[in-house]
Amino acid sequence: MQLVPPSCFAPDRARVSVARLAAEFAGGRTMLRRQQVGYPWHLGRGFHLDSAKPDLLTLYLQSASGGMYAGDELSFDVEVGTGAALHLTTQAATLVHACRDAAASLSQRVHVANGGFAALTNDPYILFPEAELSLATSAVVDSDGVLILADGFGAHRPARFEGTFKRFASELRVTRPDGSLLLLDRAALRGGDLGNPYDALGGAGAGGSVIVIAPAERLPAAEAIEAAAERAGCFAGVSAAPNDAGLVVRMTAPDGGGLTRGLTAAFHVIAETALGVPLAVRRK
């Protein structure tokens, strides 16, 4: 009798994926000039949702894979041309699964040309036990451009699971086209350091940021942003970005759902001032 060893499966290789978008103003509207989006992403059709701002293109970026996994190396390039206006948002929160062998990473590169408006607003990353995520964003923004970046995270522990996430880290570097540095923002948190009223989040279950790069006359009052976050059930603090670049908003919430509402409320206040008109609700 011949013995046959039991079947086994080698672990899947980590995913390496690059996506690219380029938006331009043409024919009275912002349109996609170039689109290269592969698995695990899916990009929905473009919407022009705002009657008061008909040239603003809104895109929903969806995940077809159920989230991010160990060793994922994803990158995304977004280019917004002269006078174009783009809002890129996610369809829901992104799950980050256990990363026992290697951290998941996402790199973003953004270029906003003269007179351009770009808003990249991600719903929070939901970190499962043993999850580890590293975010790195580099942006080049013209002196007359507007950039809004919003993201954050919430810790989640399903029933019958123990522990918390390993680490969440982010880095943002913003420069002018000539290479001069406007802002360098770094943050890192370990899940084991959270869970008490005196931790980095003050005992909250989720935390996030909104970074606004814009000319001074297109920035809202800090009090307006903080009040909007408070109405959404969050706690927010607003400070001036270095080099008169814009504003930095830090926010905490009881959980990921609360953080989503707070980030959304802050985005609408900021976008209304930057564009001069209120925006329609982005339904998800």
Side-chain angles (χ1 to χ4, degrees):
M1 182 176 64
Q2 182 179 6
L3 296 179
V4 179
S7 62
C8 62
F9 297 92
D12 292 337
R13 294 193 307 167
R15 295 176 299 181
V16 178
S17 182
V18 179
R20 297 181 177 88
L21 295 177
E24 287 187 353
F25 184 80
R29 286 186 170 186
T30 299
M31 309 295 290
L32 278 181
R33 177 174 61 83
R34 185 177 71 244
Q35 172 184 336
Q36 177 189 336
V37 179
Y39 187 82
W41 287 301
H42 170 73
L43 191 67
R45 64 177 288 260
F47 295 95
H48 294 87
L49 301 172
D50 306 283
S51 58
K53 183 66 176 174
D55 60 309
L56 174 59
L57 174 64
T58 298
L59 297 172
Y60 288 87
L61 186 65
Q62 302 173 323
S63 172
S65 68
M68 297 183 69
Y69 299 86
D72 279 356
E73 296 180 10
L74 310 181
S75 64
F76 211 97
D77 291 2
V78 180
E79 182 178 346
V80 177
T82 301
L86 173 68
H87 180 204
L88 180 65
T89 187
T90 50
Q91 93 285 9
T94 299
L95 305 182
V96 184
H97 299 274
C99 299
R100 297 180 178 88
D101 301 320
S105 66
L106 171 64
S107 299
Q108 298 180 116
R109 289 178 287 274
V110 188
H111 178 213
V112 185
N114 181 49
F117 172 90
L120 280 64
T121 60
N122 296 319
D123 287 337
Y125 297 93
I126 305 302
L127 306 179
F128 276 56
E130 299 299 313
E132 186 173 359
L133 177 62
S134 177
L135 306 177
T137 303
S138 61
V140 178
V141 184
D142 190 276
S143 59
D144 194 37
V146 174
L147 174 64
I148 303 172
L149 295 171
D151 60 29
F153 73 93
H156 177 62
R157 187 174 69 186
R160 300 187 299 277
F161 278 73
E162 296 183 354
T164 185
F165 69 94
K166 285 184 179 180
R167 188 171 183 265
F168 175 85
S170 67
E171 177 177 307
L172 169 64
R173 182 183 183 89
V174 183
T175 64
R176 291 298 188 203
D178 63 3
S180 58
L181 181 65
L182 287 181
L183 180 149
L184 179 60
D185 183 68
R186 293 190 179 107
L189 285 171
R190 294 179 297 183
D193 293 336
L194 304 178
N196 66 80
Y198 308 103
D199 63 30
L201 298 182
S209 299
V210 185
I211 309 297
V212 189
I213 306 299
E217 64 274 12
R218 301 180 71 178
L219 296 173
E223 295 80 5
I225 301 173
E226 294 170 350
E230 183 176 354
R231 289 192 296 271
C234 300
F235 176 76
V238 182
S239 60
N243 300 305
D244 297 321
L247 297 174
V248 176
V249 184
R250 306 296 190 195
M251 189 180 302
T252 59
D255 52 33
L259 182 61
T260 298
R261 292 187 290 273
L263 293 175
T264 300
F267 162 71
H268 278 273
V269 171
I270 296 164
E272 179 174 353
T273 303
L275 296 173
V277 296
L279 299 185
V281 174
R282 271 61 178 152
R283 302 191 183 279
K284 300 185 179 182

